[in-house]
Amino acid sequence: MAQPETRPESRDERRTPTSREQQAEQRRNQLIDIALDLFSEKGVDGATIKEIAAQADVAQGLVYHYFDSKEALLLAVIERHGPFAPLRVLLAQAFSQPIHEGLHTLAHGVYRIMSERKKLLRIVLHEAMLRPEMRQILLGVRAQLMTTVGAYLDTRIAQGELRSHNTEVTMHTLAVTIGSLVLAGFPPDPFLDDLVDTLLNGISAVPTHGVQPDDTQTKTNA
Amino acid sequence: MAQPETRPESRDERRTPTSREQQAEQRRNQLIDIALDLFSEKGVDGATIKEIAAQADVAQGLVYHYFDSKEALLLAVIERHGPFAPLRVLLAQAFSQPIHEGLHTLAHGVYRIMSERKKLLRIVLHEAMLRPEMRQILLGVRAQLMTTVGAYLDTRIAQGELRSHNTEVTMHTLAVTIGSLVLAGFPPDPFLDDLVDTLLNGISAVPTHGVQPDDTQTKTNA
Amino acid sequence: MAQPETRPESRDERRTPTSREQQAEQRRNQLIDIALDLFSEKGVDGATIKEIAAQADVAQGLVYHYFDSKEALLLAVIERHGPFAPLRVLLAQAFSQPIHEGLHTLAHGVYRIMSERKKLLRIVLHEAMLRPEMRQILLGVRAQLMTTVGAYLDTRIAQGELRSHNTEVTMHTLAVTIGSLVLAGFPPDPFLDDLVDTLLNGISAVPTHGVQPDDTQTKTNA
Amino acid sequence: MAQPETRPESRDERRTPTSREQQAEQRRNQLIDIALDLFSEKGVDGATIKEIAAQADVAQGLVYHYFDSKEALLLAVIERHGPFAPLRVLLAQAFSQPIHEGLHTLAHGVYRIMSERKKLLRIVLHEAMLRPEMRQILLGVRAQLMTTVGAYLDTRIAQGELRSHNTEVTMHTLAVTIGSLVLAGFPPDPFLDDLVDTLLNGISAVPTHGVQPDDTQTKTNA
DNA sequence: AATGAATGAGCCTTCATTCAT
DNA sequence: TATGAATGAAGGCTCATTCAT
């Protein structure tokens, strides 16, 4: 939740907004937040402009004063509730820690960020299955994570903290699993720590690594 | 339960079906399969009965001769394309193998089963976000997997092949990650082997473990 | 209820019907009787051929083997359950009685006949509001009653049993009121006797008739 | 309750309605009145929203802007054209007259009120045969009449104007018969006066009457 | 900024009827 | 006689969107 109170872009404007402008901004945000709720509960198609307007206690037409179309409203929802900023903060924090600690920080942080945006997450995932554009948004986030976290893991491999492995797999697994936990409503503990632990140490009892079992493994990563 | 059966002719009932019954069954399956396609492409709500009928080249009304409602058609799709039978076969096969082999068999098998049912997977996941009943179906499959695979892993822990750990985490991670690969259209190789390898052996380079069974836990996190 | 068991017209045919013909006749009557029920419960439009067939446990198409259309089925219902015969019997009986007795006999007889055909009555009245043809049927019955009963009353006027009055009013009032009782589910007693009494003697206290205020009431009837 | 009010302009609310509100009310009433016509001609089920909209020269969807459903439209029709207010006026008027005059006033008044609402009458009677809720409406009106008119008649009995009798029978007979006349399209004269006369004085010739009230009676019948 | 009347396309569903088997 | 697959025409209702006020 802990959501932006004003539109992120309009943050620090020079000119003091008139009360009329303030009202408009509030109304706009109100509509966006109602849309967030309804879109996530019923899907974008399932939610109706009529209902959004009704919950804001305004006429249907007013929604179209602020947004050109339902589609535009959806984009506004995504923009306003996007996870990019907090994600950047988290990554910076986690990357400064030793790997065994950083991975836990990362997991819990991602869980928190996703939890706070659970509604948005549902919307985007849901729509991504139908609309290629939404799929792009998702892939974009994935790519960003992959790049930054990938670099992080590669560093640690270089430093000998991690063995050489397919970091994409690790990253993808982590992200997807956490997402599933959030969506399913599972609490973070003890799942997250166990997950990170498994990723770090595996579940095999055998003396292990160097990893003999079958050296199918492979690839140093892409 | 029921599997595609490729063609209705392959049924071995006592009574030989009349050609009319055969035709009816074919029509029914045809409608189901068209629905599978359209539901997965556009979502259940996005797909229209009209379009389904059109693709089958029949009148709209005929769809309602075979199915009471769109909802009933959806259930028929799920029943016809459900993964239960092949899943049982796979589990039996995997469980007879040593763990390092069995887990790979399992992963590839699950990937294959999901791939073959990618459309159904999309439908169910998509609908599960809106309809609690669909969510139940999903949770049902998860529970079944958890039970059987959990038993499998527990056996291996008892036999000392695996260290004592939260098997639910392993299972969930495996299933969810594979599902995401299928949906995202990623090929199984080399992702799957790397994933299993990571789960078995971890990514940590540290000499480490034996990783004594339980002091694993941890938390250092934020 | 007490309904015809075979089609009234086909009563006494010379040739013994084959079992095939008997079966057909039974089926036909079964369909008619089911239609009677459903038409009266849900209206002709509200009842569906599908449901009629289902209650007879036959295929929809079979209904069209026996009746050309829903309309034809409706006519068959009316024909099979028509009140003409018993009405003739009743009138003959009532007319041979002195007026004070005959009018009670008539009222109770009409009540009984209508009661036994309550379903048909509902159907015809209901449809008469929409379809002119049905209205004709109704007006036909009314005309027949008016003629016969009118003649009866006129005779009694001529004989000095009744005062000269508008017999059409009396007849209409009697018929319509009884019909309303039947449809509303009111029992015949004591309403019918009171009604006939009122028609015969009025409600005015003024000098009046033989008829002392209160020993007026009730039954002499059959 | 609410009566046609002929035109919305005649409302005396505090706030002057804006022209848009006036237009909306007109449209609403227009739709109701068209529905009244069509419902009575073809039955509620037989009439289509499409046709109602077409006659108002508006889009189908607009009907649903004013009424939640066809059912709601039906209720609006009943409310707008209900007979309660004029019925109250009539009863007050009739009850202040001596019985022989009052009963004629009542009969003609009821005939007039029903005639003015012939369409509504047809609708309600028609629907009452299928829908229990409509039956309730009918029974409600009947109960109200029974109470008020019953009290009226009882008073007159107490005052010696009428003999003691079953007033429910008289009332029911009067109401039902008048209703049938209206529906059948029969003119009020001379039927109504003859009817009231018969109820008051009966048709029996026996010693009897001055039958003075007014010797309107007439006809020996057709 | 705000209203809400109005549109028009489309959707799910129902049903009487036909016809090959 | 009997079946039931198939048709085609509606029908009630919803909804995103527009626009005059």
Side-chain angles (χ1 to χ4, degrees):
Chain A
M1 318 296 161
Q3 252 356 88
E5 210 25 21
T6 59
R7 290 179 62 200
E9 289 73 0
S10 57
R11 257 291 145 100
D12 51 356
E13 298 180 340
R14 303 292 178 274
R15 188 172 50 75
T16 310
T18 67
S19 74
R20 184 72 171 268
E21 284 171 333
Q22 286 179 37
Q23 179 196 340
E25 178 106 5
Q26 280 179 27
R27 176 94 332 145
R28 190 184 141 90
N29 287 338
Q30 180 195 20
L31 290 174
I32 289 177
D33 291 347
I34 291 173
L36 174 71
D37 278 0
L38 291 178
F39 284 173
S40 89
E41 281 170 28
K42 314 184 165 188
V44 173
D45 286 341
T48 69
I49 297 292
K50 184 177 184 177
E51 194 178 4
I52 292 171
Q55 283 205 14
D57 213 45
V58 297
Q60 284 188 58
L62 191 59
V63 177
Y64 284 86
H65 181 72
Y66 287 99
F67 308 96
D68 284 342
S69 66
K70 205 184 189 184
E71 190 68 22
L73 176 53
L74 171 59
L75 293 179
V77 167
I78 293 174
E79 189 180 339
R80 176 163 151 84
H81 292 275
F84 297 98
L87 217 45
R88 261 194 306 276
V89 173
L90 170 69
L91 295 179
Q93 177 193 353
F95 292 178
S96 65
Q97 301 173 341
I99 188 66
H100 285 91
E101 201 179 330
L103 226 45
H104 281 95
T105 300
L106 193 63
H108 282 87
V110 168
Y111 184 96
R112 178 181 45 78
I113 291 175
M114 283 187 175
S115 270
E116 289 167 356
R117 287 163 186 75
K118 185 175 175 179
K119 289 172 185 172
L120 181 65
L121 183 60
R122 290 185 57 175
I123 295 174
V124 173
L125 279 183
H126 192 256
E127 298 306 315
M129 291 186 185
L130 304 184
R131 316 189 195 195
E133 349 105 45
M134 288 289 136
R135 206 136 37 195
Q136 286 315 311
I137 294 183
L138 222 51
L139 289 179
V141 177
R142 183 185 189 277
Q144 176 184 329
L145 246 64
M146 218 51 100
T147 305
T148 46
V149 180
Y152 172 53
L153 295 180
D154 282 341
T155 306
R156 303 302 162 158
I157 291 174
Q159 295 180 353
E161 276 188 298
L162 299 179
R163 66 174 171 94
S164 171
H165 71 286
N166 187 336
T167 55
E168 188 182 6
V169 170
T170 307
M171 191 58 244
H172 183 103
T173 300
L174 202 53
V176 158
T177 305
I178 294 177
S180 75
L181 294 181
V182 170
L183 285 182
F186 288 13
D189 300 314
F191 214 120
L192 284 188
D193 289 320
D194 288 342
L195 170 61
V196 171
D197 183 56
T198 293
L199 287 178
L200 282 173
N201 300 310
I203 57 177
S204 181
V206 217
T208 324
H209 358 218
V211 182
Q212 329 86 322
D214 49 47
D215 53 40
T216 348
Q217 323 77 317
T218 55
K219 306 89 254 198
T220 319
N221 142 17
Chain B
M1 201 89 63
Q3 238 15 67
E5 299 261 345
T6 319
R7 284 302 129 191
E9 298 81 280
S10 63
R11 291 193 158 274
D12 55 349
E13 299 177 342
R14 303 288 176 277
R15 189 173 49 77
T16 309
T18 68
S19 73
R20 265 189 104 200
E21 283 172 331
Q22 286 180 40
Q23 178 194 336
E25 175 142 2
Q26 279 181 31
R27 179 67 16 112
R28 193 185 138 89
N29 287 339
Q30 179 194 21
L31 290 174
I32 289 178
D33 291 345
I34 291 174
L36 174 72
D37 279 357
L38 290 178
F39 284 173
S40 88
E41 281 171 28
K42 315 185 165 189
V44 173
D45 286 341
T48 68
I49 296 292
K50 184 178 185 174
E51 196 177 1
I52 292 171
Q55 282 205 16
D57 212 46
V58 297
Q60 274 191 65
L62 189 60
V63 177
Y64 287 87
H65 181 68
Y66 286 98
F67 308 97
D68 284 341
S69 65
K70 206 184 189 183
E71 187 70 21
L73 175 53
L74 171 59
L75 293 180
V77 168
I78 293 174
E79 188 179 345
R80 176 162 152 84
H81 292 276
F84 297 98
L87 217 45
R88 260 196 306 277
V89 173
L90 169 68
L91 295 179
Q93 177 191 353
F95 293 179
S96 65
Q97 303 174 340
I99 186 67
H100 288 91
E101 199 181 333
L103 226 45
H104 280 92
T105 300
L106 193 61
H108 282 90
V110 168
Y111 184 96
R112 177 182 46 78
I113 291 174
M114 284 187 176
S115 269
E116 289 166 354
R117 287 161 186 77
K118 186 175 175 180
K119 290 171 184 171
L120 181 64
L121 183 60
R122 292 184 57 176
I123 295 174
V124 173
L125 279 182
H126 192 255
E127 297 307 314
M129 292 188 183
L130 303 184
R131 319 190 195 191
E133 351 107 41
M134 286 290 138
R135 207 137 34 198
Q136 286 315 310
I137 294 182
L138 222 51
L139 289 180
V141 177
R142 184 185 188 276
Q144 177 185 328
L145 244 62
M146 219 50 104
T147 305
T148 44
V149 180
Y152 173 53
L153 295 180
D154 284 341
T155 306
R156 302 304 161 156
I157 290 174
Q159 297 181 350
E161 277 188 294
L162 299 179
R163 66 175 171 94
S164 172
H165 69 287
N166 185 337
T167 54
E168 189 181 7
V169 170
T170 307
M171 190 58 245
H172 183 103
T173 300
L174 202 54
V176 159
T177 304
I178 294 177
S180 75
L181 294 181
V182 169
L183 285 182
F186 288 12
D189 300 315
F191 214 122
L192 283 188
D193 288 320
D194 288 343
L195 170 61
V196 171
D197 184 54
T198 292
L199 287 178
L200 281 174
N201 301 309
I203 57 177
S204 183
V206 219
T208 328
H209 356 227
V211 178
Q212 272 66 335
D214 250 357
D215 60 78
T216 341
Q217 325 71 328
T218 53
K219 287 109 246 210
T220 319
N221 73 302
Chain C
M1 318 301 159
Q3 253 356 89
E5 209 27 18
T6 58
R7 292 178 58 201
E9 288 73 359
S10 56
R11 257 290 147 99
D12 52 355
E13 298 180 339
R14 302 290 176 278
R15 188 173 50 76
T16 310
T18 68
S19 75
R20 184 73 172 266
E21 283 173 334
Q22 286 180 38
Q23 179 195 340
E25 177 108 4
Q26 279 179 27
R27 177 80 354 131
R28 190 184 142 89
N29 287 337
Q30 179 194 20
L31 290 175
I32 289 178
D33 291 346
I34 290 173
L36 174 71
D37 279 359
L38 291 179
F39 284 173
S40 90
E41 281 171 29
K42 314 185 165 187
V44 173
D45 285 342
T48 69
I49 296 294
K50 185 177 183 177
E51 196 178 1
I52 292 171
Q55 282 205 16
D57 213 45
V58 298
Q60 284 188 58
L62 191 59
V63 176
Y64 285 86
H65 180 73
Y66 286 100
F67 308 97
D68 284 341
S69 66
K70 205 184 189 184
E71 190 69 22
L73 176 53
L74 171 60
L75 293 179
V77 168
I78 292 175
E79 188 180 342
R80 175 163 153 85
H81 292 275
F84 297 98
L87 216 45
R88 261 193 306 276
V89 174
L90 170 68
L91 295 180
Q93 175 191 356
F95 293 179
S96 65
Q97 302 174 341
I99 187 65
H100 285 89
E101 201 180 329
L103 226 47
H104 281 95
T105 300
L106 192 62
H108 281 88
V110 169
Y111 184 96
R112 177 181 46 78
I113 292 174
M114 283 187 176
S115 269
E116 288 168 356
R117 286 161 187 76
K118 186 174 174 179
K119 290 173 184 172
L120 181 66
L121 182 60
R122 291 186 57 177
I123 295 174
V124 173
L125 280 182
H126 192 256
E127 298 307 314
M129 292 187 184
L130 305 184
R131 318 190 192 193
E133 349 105 46
M134 287 290 135
R135 206 138 35 200
Q136 285 316 309
I137 294 182
L138 222 51
L139 290 179
V141 177
R142 184 185 187 277
Q144 177 186 329
L145 246 63
M146 219 51 100
T147 304
T148 45
V149 181
Y152 172 54
L153 294 180
D154 283 341
T155 306
R156 302 304 161 156
I157 290 173
Q159 296 179 352
E161 276 188 298
L162 299 179
R163 66 174 171 93
S164 171
H165 72 286
N166 187 334
T167 55
E168 188 182 8
V169 170
T170 305
M171 192 57 243
H172 183 103
T173 300
L174 203 54
V176 159
T177 305
I178 293 176
S180 75
L181 294 181
V182 169
L183 284 182
F186 288 12
D189 301 314
F191 213 121
L192 283 188
D193 289 318
D194 288 342
L195 171 62
V196 171
D197 183 57
T198 292
L199 288 178
L200 282 174
N201 301 311
I203 58 176
S204 180
V206 222
T208 326
H209 345 237
V211 191
Q212 270 68 338
D214 249 357
D215 60 74
T216 339
Q217 323 73 330
T218 54
K219 313 63 300 200
T220 321
N221 72 302
Chain D
M1 201 91 61
Q3 237 17 62
E5 300 261 344
T6 318
R7 285 302 129 194
E9 297 82 280
S10 63
R11 292 196 158 275
D12 54 350
E13 299 178 341
R14 302 289 175 276
R15 189 174 50 77
T16 310
T18 68
S19 73
R20 265 189 106 201
E21 285 172 331
Q22 287 179 39
Q23 179 195 334
E25 175 141 3
Q26 280 180 32
R27 179 64 24 109
R28 193 185 138 88
N29 287 338
Q30 180 194 20
L31 291 174
I32 289 178
D33 291 346
I34 291 173
L36 175 72
D37 280 358
L38 290 179
F39 283 174
S40 86
E41 282 170 26
K42 313 185 165 189
V44 173
D45 286 341
T48 70
I49 296 292
K50 184 178 186 174
E51 196 177 3
I52 292 172
Q55 283 205 14
D57 212 46
V58 297
Q60 277 191 63
L62 190 59
V63 177
Y64 288 88
H65 180 67
Y66 286 99
F67 308 97
D68 284 342
S69 65
K70 205 184 190 185
E71 187 71 21
L73 176 53
L74 171 59
L75 293 180
V77 168
I78 292 174
E79 189 179 343
R80 177 165 151 83
H81 292 277
F84 297 98
L87 217 44
R88 262 195 305 278
V89 173
L90 169 68
L91 295 180
Q93 177 191 352
F95 293 178
S96 65
Q97 303 173 342
I99 186 65
H100 289 90
E101 199 181 332
L103 227 45
H104 281 92
T105 301
L106 193 63
H108 282 88
V110 168
Y111 184 95
R112 177 182 46 78
I113 291 175
M114 283 187 175
S115 269
E116 290 166 356
R117 287 162 185 76
K118 185 174 173 179
K119 289 171 185 172
L120 181 65
L121 183 60
R122 290 184 57 177
I123 295 174
V124 173
L125 280 182
H126 192 255
E127 298 306 314
M129 292 187 184
L130 303 184
R131 318 190 196 194
E133 350 108 42
M134 288 289 138
R135 207 137 36 196
Q136 286 314 310
I137 293 183
L138 223 51
L139 290 179
V141 177
R142 184 184 189 278
Q144 177 185 326
L145 246 61
M146 220 50 106
T147 305
T148 45
V149 180
Y152 173 53
L153 296 179
D154 284 341
T155 305
R156 302 304 162 156
I157 291 174
Q159 295 180 352
E161 278 189 294
L162 299 179
R163 66 175 171 91
S164 172
H165 70 287
N166 186 337
T167 55
E168 189 181 5
V169 170
T170 307
M171 190 58 246
H172 183 103
T173 301
L174 202 54
V176 158
T177 306
I178 294 177
S180 75
L181 295 181
V182 169
L183 285 182
F186 288 12
D189 301 314
F191 214 121
L192 283 188
D193 288 320
D194 288 343
L195 170 61
V196 171
D197 184 54
T198 292
L199 288 178
L200 281 174
N201 301 308
I203 57 175
S204 185
V206 221
T208 330
H209 356 220
V211 178
Q212 328 82 325
D214 48 46
D215 53 38
T216 352
Q217 322 81 315
T218 59
K219 307 77 280 192
T220 318
N221 143 17

